[in-house]
């Protein structure tokens, strides 16, 4: 047994020498040393009996060999205790940070640092850990409370925004004019911006609002198309009245005229001011050819002549044809008379 104890003392001395050398090179693994020392202490306690005098001498040698190791480990543990105490204080200070999510991230970094710090000794380790854990628990409890408050607030906001969206949907369904739709679109855009500004974004509500904006755009396009079609119908109705000899003042004061945009009002005014009669048959045939509609059979010869002319002018080359520009030229031919009434009807289908 004495030999076993001497062997343990030699191992302790070797470990002490190794620790001293590594300390000079700053490569000491105190965790490993502490583990080895605990193992050696266990071996010492289990080494068996020797006579009293010999045991005292060996115990003295063993304690002497242990002394530098204990000093180094105690110093290491004291340093660890200081580092961990600093982390405890930081964790407590983070409880005062207003941005709880930033504080949570900072706390998680402290936890990572804690894991990298070694044992702080039997007297302090548990107390430090309990203090650190308590600060961490309070931080996560604070986060959970903030989350609950935010969830409740977001639910109220969502309810209010949902109500606004419902009102807007009703307004879109009831809108009868572009002005009304544009007003709703502006409000809907403001609502979308408000929804997107929420953190986190209420995706379902954002999607519904975007969908409503698309519906408004489609409805606006449909109204514009219908309005354009109605304008064309009004223009042709007024031309028919003019051709049939309707009084000029009656024309320009009519509901049809006043419903037209200023562009078409000016064109109709130009028409009623014309005094010279012109022949718009050839231009009517050109419109029919370029618009892709048939002409009366009795004008087949004239149509062929116009078609040849158009080919020479390269107007049948397959490019886009501006039927409105051609119509405006058609209006300028001269004064409208009753002989123009059939021509008006012939080209009407090109525009409305």
């Amino acid at each position: 047994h004495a030999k076993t104890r001497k062997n343990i003392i030699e191992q302790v001395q070797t470990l002490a020498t190794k620790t001293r050398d590594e300390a000079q090179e700053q490569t000491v693994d105190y965790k490993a040393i502490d583990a080895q020392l605990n193992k050696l202490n266990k071996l010492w306690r289990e080494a068996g009996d020797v006579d009293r005098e010999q045991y005292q001498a060996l115990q003295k040698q063993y304690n002497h060999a242990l002394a530098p190791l204990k000093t180094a480990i105690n110093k290491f543990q004291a340093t660890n205790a200081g580092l961990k105490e600093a982390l405890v204080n930081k964790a407590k200070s983070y409880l005062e940070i207003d941005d709880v999510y930033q504080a949570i991230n900072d706390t998680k970094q402290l936890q990572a640092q804690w894991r990298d710090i070694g044992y702080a000794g039997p007297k302090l380790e548990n107390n430090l850990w309990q203090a650190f854990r308590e600060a961490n628990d309070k931080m996560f409890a604070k986060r959970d409370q903030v989350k609950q408050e935010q969830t409740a607030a977001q639910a109220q906001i969502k309810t209010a925004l949902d109500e606004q969206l419902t009102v807007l949907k009703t307004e879109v369904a009831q809108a009868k004019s572009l002005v009304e739709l544009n007003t709703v679109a502006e409000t809907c855009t403001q609502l979308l911006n408000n929804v997107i500004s929420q953190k986190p974004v209420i995706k379902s509500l954002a999607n519904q609002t975007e969908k409503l904006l698309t519906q408004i755009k489609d409805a606006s396009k449909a109204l514009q198309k219908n309005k354009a079609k109605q304008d064309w119908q009004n223009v042709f109705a007024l031309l028919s009245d003019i051709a049939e000899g309707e009084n000029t003042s009656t024309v320009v004061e009519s509901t049809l005229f006043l419903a037209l945009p200023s562009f078409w009002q000016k064109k109709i005014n130009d028409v009623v001011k014309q005094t010279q009669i012109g022949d718009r048959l050839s231009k009517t045939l050109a419109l029919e050819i370029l618009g892709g509609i048939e002409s009366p059979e009795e004008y087949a010869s004239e149509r062929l002549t116009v078609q040849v002319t158009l080919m020479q002018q390269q107007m049948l080359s397959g490019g886009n044809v501006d039927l409105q520009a051609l119509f405006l030229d058609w209006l300028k031919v001269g004064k409208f008379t009753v002989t123009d009434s059939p021509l008006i009807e012939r080209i009407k289908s090109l525009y409305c």
Side-chain angles (χ1 to χ4, degrees):
H1 294 166
K3 184 177 180 180
T4 298
R5 291 185 181 275
K6 287 179 181 179
N7 180 263
I8 294 172
I9 292 172
E10 290 176 359
Q11 291 183 56
V12 172
Q13 291 171 337
T14 300
L15 182 60
T17 301
K18 178 185 176 187
T19 302
R20 183 190 63 216
D21 294 342
E22 290 178 348
Q24 292 176 350
E25 298 176 2
Q26 297 183 342
T27 59
V28 183
D29 184 352
Y30 286 103
K31 289 183 181 179
I33 292 173
D34 194 29
Q36 292 178 57
L37 190 56
N38 288 333
K39 182 178 179 181
L40 291 171
N41 281 331
K42 184 174 183 296
L43 291 174
W44 182 265
R45 289 192 300 271
E46 298 172 352
D49 296 334
V50 294
D51 64 72
R52 180 179 177 81
E53 184 177 345
Q54 189 176 20
Y55 176 78
Q56 290 178 344
L58 290 171
Q59 183 67 50
K60 184 176 181 180
Q61 294 177 36
Y62 184 67
N63 290 339
H64 181 74
L66 283 178
L69 286 172
K70 285 185 175 181
T71 299
I73 291 173
N74 289 339
K75 182 178 179 181
F76 169 67
Q77 292 176 348
T79 299
N80 292 340
L83 294 173
K84 289 186 173 181
E85 185 176 7
L87 294 185
V88 170
N89 293 332
K90 280 187 178 181
K92 290 179 178 178
S93 70
Y94 290 167
L95 292 169
E96 306 301 322
I97 296 177
D98 292 332
D99 187 345
V100 68
Y101 295 105
Q102 180 60 51
I104 284 291
N105 289 334
D106 293 342
T107 297
K108 288 180 179 179
Q109 291 179 9
L110 293 184
Q111 292 174 341
Q113 293 174 36
W114 183 281
R115 289 191 292 270
D116 291 336
I117 298 173
Y119 186 58
K123 294 182 179 179
L124 297 176
E125 178 66 29
N126 186 60
N127 290 338
L128 288 170
W129 169 244
Q130 293 301 327
F132 185 67
R133 181 176 178 178
E134 181 182 359
N136 279 228
D137 289 344
K138 287 181 179 179
M139 175 57 67
F140 286 103
K142 181 180 178 181
R143 179 200 61 185
D144 292 342
Q145 181 180 355
V146 169
K147 277 187 174 180
Q148 291 177 358
E149 293 172 352
Q150 288 179 340
T151 299
Q154 287 169 0
Q156 292 180 346
I157 292 172
K158 184 179 184 301
T159 298
L161 295 176
D162 273 331
E163 291 174 354
Q164 292 180 43
L165 183 61
T166 300
V167 171
L168 288 174
K169 287 179 178 178
T170 301
E171 292 178 354
V172 170
Q174 296 175 347
K176 302 298 182 184
S177 69
L178 286 173
V179 173
E180 291 174 335
L181 283 176
N182 288 338
T183 300
V184 178
E186 289 178 5
T187 307
C188 195
T189 300
Q190 292 172 0
L191 175 61
L192 179 60
N193 291 336
N194 193 358
V195 171
I196 293 175
S197 69
Q198 303 301 318
K199 302 299 179 187
V201 174
I202 307 172
K203 292 183 179 179
S204 61
L205 191 56
N207 291 337
Q208 291 182 60
T209 308
E210 289 175 342
K211 183 177 179 181
L212 183 59
L213 274 172
T214 300
Q215 292 175 358
I216 293 173
K217 290 178 181 178
D218 292 341
S220 296
K221 289 178 181 178
L223 276 179
Q224 288 173 338
K225 184 176 181 180
N226 291 337
K227 177 64 169 60
K229 183 177 181 180
Q230 186 61 55
D231 287 343
W232 279 109
Q233 289 174 343
N234 291 349
V235 166
F236 276 93
L238 289 169
L239 290 177
S240 294
D241 289 343
I242 294 170
E244 295 297 327
E246 189 71 61
N247 184 274
T248 299
S249 60
T250 302
V251 170
V252 298
E253 293 174 4
S254 66
T255 303
L256 295 180
F257 179 84
L258 295 176
L260 289 174
S262 59
F263 174 84
W264 284 117
Q265 286 183 357
K266 183 178 183 304
K267 299 304 178 185
I268 295 298
N269 268 320
D270 291 342
V271 167
V272 299
K273 291 177 182 178
Q274 291 175 345
T275 57
Q276 186 174 353
I277 297 175
D279 183 5
R280 52 175 47 86
L281 176 60
S282 61
K283 286 191 176 294
T284 300
L285 290 168
L287 282 171
E288 290 172 333
I289 294 168
L290 294 171
I293 61 175
E294 295 297 325
S295 305
E297 290 184 8
E298 60 265 32
Y299 296 104
S301 176
E302 291 87 341
R303 180 181 172 109
L304 181 59
T305 301
V306 172
Q307 194 165 8
V308 170
T309 302
L310 292 174
M311 291 177 65
Q312 292 173 343
Q313 295 173 348
Q314 295 185 342
M315 293 188 70
L316 293 176
S317 59
N320 292 330
V321 176
D322 189 344
L323 289 176
Q324 179 170 308
L326 294 172
F327 176 77
L328 295 178
D329 288 339
W330 182 82
L331 289 180
K332 297 175 184 177
V333 170
K335 180 180 178 180
F336 278 84
T337 66
V338 68
T339 58
D340 292 306
S341 294
L343 305 183
I344 294 171
E345 290 301 316
R346 281 166 55 180
I347 67 168
K348 183 178 179 179
S349 63
L350 290 173
Y351 301 95
C352 54

